Amino acid sequence: MDSVHFLVNGEEIGLISRQRTSVATTHFTVLLPLAASVLVGLLLLPTVALLAHQPWTHLIGVWRQLGMGPLGISLMTTLIAMVIMTLAGTPLGWWIARGGRGWRVLEYSLLFPLLMPPLVVGLVLAYLLGPYGLFGPWFHALGISGTNSELAVVVAEIYEAMPYYILAVIASVRQVPRALEQVAWVLGCPPWKAAWRVLLPLAWPGLVAGLAMAFARAVGAFGAVIVVAYFPHTLPVAIWVGLQEQGIRAAFPLALLLLLVALPAPLILFVWRRMPHADL
Amino acid sequence: MLTCSLAVKRPKLGIEAAFSVNAGETLCLFGPSGSGKTSLLSAISGLLRARGRVTWRDVVWLDSENNTFVPPWRRRLGLVGQSNLLFPHLTVRDNLGFGLEGESKGVVHRLAERLELGAYLDRYPRELSGGLAQRVQLGRALAPEPPVLLLDEPFSALDSVNRRSLQDLMLTLRQDLDLAMIFVTHDLAEAQRMATTLGVMHSGRLCDVGPMERVTMAPSNPTVAKLLGYQVLRHSDLVVNGDPNRMMLVHPDRVRMGRHPQQGLLVRAKVTGVEPYFTGARAHLMLESGRDLEARVSPWEPLSVGDTLTLTLIGLEGKEPHG
């Protein structure tokens, strides 16, 4: 939850650094940067150390041999999951943010899948989608398998990632004063048009940040995915399998591949949100 | 003519009001903060669901008996809020043209000229001073040429110089555009300046509404009188003959030092305190009955604490005021 707030409300960090210059004491000027660099070092060191011990030829070899299939599955399923999340999550978050008390209950209920351990989500899904589960037979009748299929992967990814996106939508919609939309109504815009012309332009940095976060969650989804869809291997599952069968030498290059896919979008967005032009 | 008869039922602050405003007229809604002025405006614009009837000319905007409700986006209203209600992601030009459909260049250009905003068309709202921002809000509301303009304390956050110049602007616009205006304010001086009709609101109810002169000079009940600055006294407080419980309204501006029997009622009082007020003073007096009374004192009438003197309560002859 903290990270949602952090990304969406771009002001907070700026405030702290502005205060630092005004309260310029030695504690702040010396100790704080020191502590910060130690912390950052601790966070980055393991990755950098591992990276330094991997010859490039080995990395590329493993990627070619084990990585491409799972990468394709991961990207394709994540893409589909993202489209569904955007189409369903944006209006849902909007209604929750702007709706009355009844919708508030929905907001809290979203915390359920968010707080539920992914493994448990996977079990629930396996029960729902499995051949003897609640919906499994329906899928079977349609000739689709509810588990161990791309469909199962997409569903598991949505369950793991969508609450983050919806919460981001709620937060960024709430940030836009309702009075602004009402002014647009009085100026002749029906609510959907006001949402398009006023709400969306003001909320979209938050929405995009939410999408980036949801993307990182979906592409890295593991717990729920491995229970409900061991096959086809997604990249996170492939990492697990690689680790089980061949050890860290096979798993690490795949992990690195996952990082390369999952990290850039949220990172770029994070930096972009910190730049002055985003401060509307 | 805009005719409203509205009721909003709410646990906290219910609203009840009935009035009408003609084109070219301004109804000022005056009342303390939290008296329901803004809610009443919201009910007129349709942003707040209310019961009752609202009509503009022969168009029915709201009739709860017949389940008629025209949503805000089809009422053709102008709304100017307190502040910060400009669209922050749009330039002044795009804010001005927001309510216009299709070609808006000409209208925006004319408005900008009229409101002296020509130099600011490419600025963003965050770059504008308070006075300029309110000018833009006004222009944005006027652009679609609505016949009814609702103003919700539009100048409250401005300094007095800016406020005066925007009031002047509103007064000329009112003449030129033949608008029916409803102007909410908690500043009586502003209400008196802008109003043709004055409405006084108190805890959700429109307690008095009528021509500005009538309401300010002869408020129809003690609650309204108090809100307009009157002090409500009884005959017994003034030690005059007649029913001791009959009430009289005394305004601090209508207390004159000394004996002027042809102008009003004479009473004796003792000065208990004097504090500066603009170029003159505000005197706290105690009548012989022990009742406190406040009076404005001109700069040429020096008073000191402890003085005992005779006062004239202008316009009062021991009679009951209007209503």
Side-chain angles (χ1 to χ4, degrees), chain A residues 44-151:
Chain A
L44 291 180
L45 193 68
T47 321
V48 174
L50 255 173
L51 206 55
H53 282 82
Q54 299 288 329
W56 283 104
T57 46
H58 171 68
L59 274 183
I60 291 162
V62 175
W63 287 355
R64 280 230 178 102
Q65 202 192 337
L66 300 172
M68 287 306 120
L71 178 66
I73 295 287
S74 269
L75 285 181
M76 184 192 68
T77 52
T78 305
L79 192 73
I80 296 170
M82 293 297 291
V83 170
I84 294 171
M85 278 191 270
T86 314
L87 292 181
T90 315
L92 183 61
W94 178 40
W95 286 323
I96 292 175
R98 288 294 192 234
R101 218 166 269 164
W103 292 99
R104 196 67 47 84
V105 177
L106 245 169
E107 183 184 357
Y108 297 139
S109 69
L110 280 177
L111 292 174
F112 243 84
L114 193 68
L115 297 175
M116 218 157 38
L119 212 53
V120 180
V121 174
L123 283 176
V124 174
L125 286 180
Y127 168 70
L128 282 179
L129 303 174
Y132 308 108
L134 218 51
F135 301 117
W138 300 4
F139 288 124
H140 190 76
L142 291 169
I144 318 167
S145 171
T147 53
N148 286 330
S149 64
E150 280 86 352
L151 173 75

Side-chain angles (χ1 to χ4, degrees), chain A residues 177 179-191 193-194 197-199 201-202 279-280, chain B residues 45 47 72-74 77-79 84-90 97-99 101 126 140-141 144:
Chain A
L180 279 181
E181 276 175 276
Q182 294 182 331
V183 166
W185 298 355
V186 175
L187 282 165
C189 288
K193 211 171 168 188
R197 290 182 68 188
V198 176
L199 183 61
L202 291 173
D279 170 41
L280 203 73
Chain B
S45 65
L47 292 173
W73 47 96
R74 277 195 237 113
L77 285 160
L79 177 66
N84 296 330
L85 286 181
L86 290 174
F87 301 123
H89 59 300
L90 300 177
F98 192 91
E101 304 221 323
R126 60 173 180 275
R140 182 180 64 180

Side-chain angles (χ1 to χ4, degrees), chain A residues 27 36 57 115 137 159 165 217 232 246 248 250 271:
Chain A
H27 287 92
T57 46
L115 297 175
Y159 267 84
Y165 177 61
R217 295 286 307 176
Q246 301 175 42
I248 195 116
V271 172

Side-chain angles (χ1 to χ4, degrees), chain A residues 1-13 164 167-168 171 175 213 273-274:
Chain A
M1 277 305 294
D2 261 0
S3 57
V4 176
H5 189 65
F6 187 60
L7 261 179
V8 172
N9 247 350
E11 296 296 326
E12 240 119 298
I13 284 199
Y164 288 87
L167 289 175
Q175 202 182 253
M213 205 152 38
R273 288 279 288 149
R274 286 283 169 278

Side-chain angles (χ1 to χ4, degrees), chain A residues 250-269:
Chain A
F252 181 73
L254 293 177
L256 197 63
L257 188 59
L258 181 59
L259 277 186
L260 286 178
V261 175
L263 276 188
L267 270 182
I268 288 168
L269 263 160

